[in-house]
Amino acid sequence: MSSLVCRSPSVISTSLLTLPLLRLAASARSVQPCAQRQPQPQQARQASGPVAVRRFSASLTLSRKVAPTEAAHINEVRKTIADEFALIKDAYQSPKHPVVLAHGLLGFAELKLAGSYLPSIHYWRGIQEALTAQGAEVITASVPPSGSIEKRAAKLAQDIEAQAQGKSVNVVAHSMGGLDARYMISQLRPKGVDVKSLVTIGTPHHGSAFADYLIDELGPDYLPQVYKAWERVTGWEPSAFSQLTQKYMAEHFNPATPDDPNVQYFSYGAMVNGKPPLLSMFRISHKLIEEREGPNDGLVSVESSQWGTYKGTLTGVNHLDLINWTNRIRSNLQKLMGHPPSFNAVAFYLGIGDMLAKEGL
């Protein structure tokens, strides 16, 4: 492999996931602009339907997806949610069991940048407070930001056991948090944790083409250097990045992580309408994923988001909108132009709580 990175100049300004890695890659080897690589053909996936996994108990099943060529003909892909969560309703039912909020890659529960001098930054911006105000008991977990799924899942189990105090729980997970929860339920099966349901939101159950792109761009010769630099700069283990590829999910994680029949699985996907704005951190990643997987939220495709009972695709929503990190300038401009936002993250999570309550959870 050449010692030069084949990369368009604009790739350097990209998403929360890619920016740190690309900068570290630039310090590990020379970077020069060149023609963009042609997308690699996507691996075929097996047909839909629960499939028994021989190496596990016969009662465990693995959710499988349909092949991409069939995706356009599936009602679940067409099931879009345009404005159902635009406004907060007058009343919501509260789930019977506590709700565990599990964050994604590079996430946190609460971040204090200046001690008591500045307000804390919350990953679940206003969401925990809203659910609590509606009568739900809420638990927030904090796992290693870029650690392996295995280590993140172990910490998730510890947090739930410590805070739930023996109560059954509903896990609501954003992005990689859904993979942590699936591994915890299927592989760890902690005695002190009883999960009744798992709701995943923008989780890359089948990997992300953008993760594949990044790993391919860095190459096996430079990945160790980049990972060491990441750990030296951030103090965080970098194992998560290679586990988010389509290859890893298809060949390793999904076959080894069957669903638990005693847990109800729900999922939501999201997609950006048209192209992200010129200065959006998702502009490059969205384009690449769209070419390889189809509609996406900037980091995770609609196709990859589907697991268990698919509740629908949130339209006009990006990966950070899903946790209420909406661009306020963009939102205000939309209102001035007579196009108020069609998605309110707080209304969305209150709706999830209401759905869980109606399911008897």
Side-chain angles (χ1 to χ4, degrees), residues 191-213:
K191 293 182 180 179
V193 177
D194 179 30
V195 178
K196 293 298 184 183
S197 71
L198 170 61
V199 182
T200 61
I201 303 159
T203 291
H205 292 289
H206 304 275
S208 172
F210 201 43
D212 289 76
Y213 171 79

Side-chain angles (χ1 to χ4, degrees), residues 2 13 15 18 55 68 94 100 129 138 182 204 224 252 259 276 313 329 331 341-342:
S2 170
S13 58
S15 70
T18 63
R55 56 185 292 193
S94 296
V100 177
E129 293 82 355
V138 181
R182 281 180 53 201
H252 300 281
D259 288 346
T313 304
I329 297 177
S331 179
S342 61

